[in-house]
Amino acid sequence: RPARVAACELKHSSQPPSPMWPHRNVPLGLLSNFLSTTAGSIGIARDAYVLLLPEGVGTATNVGLMEGMSGVVNLLTSFAAGVATDRCGRSPVLRLPAAACG
């Protein structure tokens, strides 16, 4: 009986192998976030440029229209990325924009 207890204790006391950290998708996610943030910064600069255009073109209404269209495109892209993630997995969906921009 003591041999069984010792074997059971050994079996339960051994630690499972620790997961790889960071996971291989973490750098891809960080790169994707970086590229998204950079694109947002460029969008802000684009808005400032439009406001500097001559009267009649560089109006707050035109900036609002540009931002509204950008929001609709982002919404549609998010739905498409969600469907692609469900069908193909996260890794290929994260690699595609990284490969396209890099």
Side-chain angles (χ1 to χ4, degrees):
R1 182 133 175 116
R4 278 187 168 173
V5 171
C8 184
E9 286 175 3
L10 286 176
K11 184 177 179 182
H12 292 296
S13 67
S14 64
Q15 298 281 334
S18 62
M20 183 176 71
W21 181 254
H23 190 270
R24 62 187 172 144
N25 286 344
V26 170
L28 290 172
L30 291 174
L31 178 63
S32 177
N33 189 16
F34 172 75
L35 293 174
S36 175
T37 304
T38 303
S41 298
I42 291 171
I44 291 171
R46 179 193 65 219
D47 292 345
Y49 174 75
V50 169
L51 286 174
L52 293 175
L53 291 175
E55 203 56 48
V57 178
T59 63
T61 302
N62 288 343
V63 171
L65 287 171
M66 287 173 38
E67 287 299 317
M69 288 186 291
S70 176
V72 169
V73 169
N74 285 336
L75 182 66
L76 295 175
T77 305
S78 296
F79 284 133
V83 170
T85 300
D86 289 342
R87 292 185 181 174
C88 303
R90 287 180 296 179
S91 187
V93 174
L94 286 172
R95 286 186 180 145
L96 181 65
C101 295

